[in-house]
Amino acid sequence: RSRAGRREVGFPARVWDVALAFAGPNWSWAHDEGGSAGGVATLVPVEGEVALGTVVYLTAAQLQKLDRFEGVPTHYQRKELTAEVLEGDEWEKKRVIAYVKVDASQFLPPSEAYRCAVL
């Protein structure tokens, strides 16, 4: 949220048939003892699973700014998904954009610093 210039809290969301995974290697978040590369967040298709997250409404300009932070199209790509978003006391189906890692062939645990930043 803050990378895109938004500070407010988003809305809880869930996406079915995908799972949160950590893929790498990623050296920019290698802050653990020993400095080894870790994984960074992505979504992978897994039938029957549900990924939980947060939806924040962004303008086109804010999405472009976030694209630069996320390394689109080299490291991440935008992927449009259907999510259930909790607004008030109702789950509503909405089309959302998620950033999915381009190369998710190697799965690695995330560094402690990365976990603190994103979870």
Side-chain angles (χ1 to χ4, degrees), residues 19-90:
L20 175 64
F22 296 92
N26 181 284
W27 293 99
S28 62
W29 282 98
H31 301 295
D32 284 348
E33 190 174 315
S36 60
V40 290
T42 192
L43 296 174
V44 294
V46 180
E47 190 173 330
E49 286 293 318
V50 61
L52 304 175
T54 304
V55 166
V56 177
Y57 295 103
L58 302 175
T59 66
Q62 290 168 326
L63 275 172
Q64 288 178 344
K65 184 176 179 181
L66 191 54
D67 283 351
R68 288 190 298 277
F69 277 110
E70 298 300 340
V72 172
T74 306
H75 301 291
Y76 279 89
Q77 64 184 357
R78 288 188 199 176
K79 182 169 183 171
E80 194 170 308
L81 302 165
T82 299
E84 294 176 345
V85 181
L86 184 63
E87 293 192 32
D89 59 357
E90 298 285 328

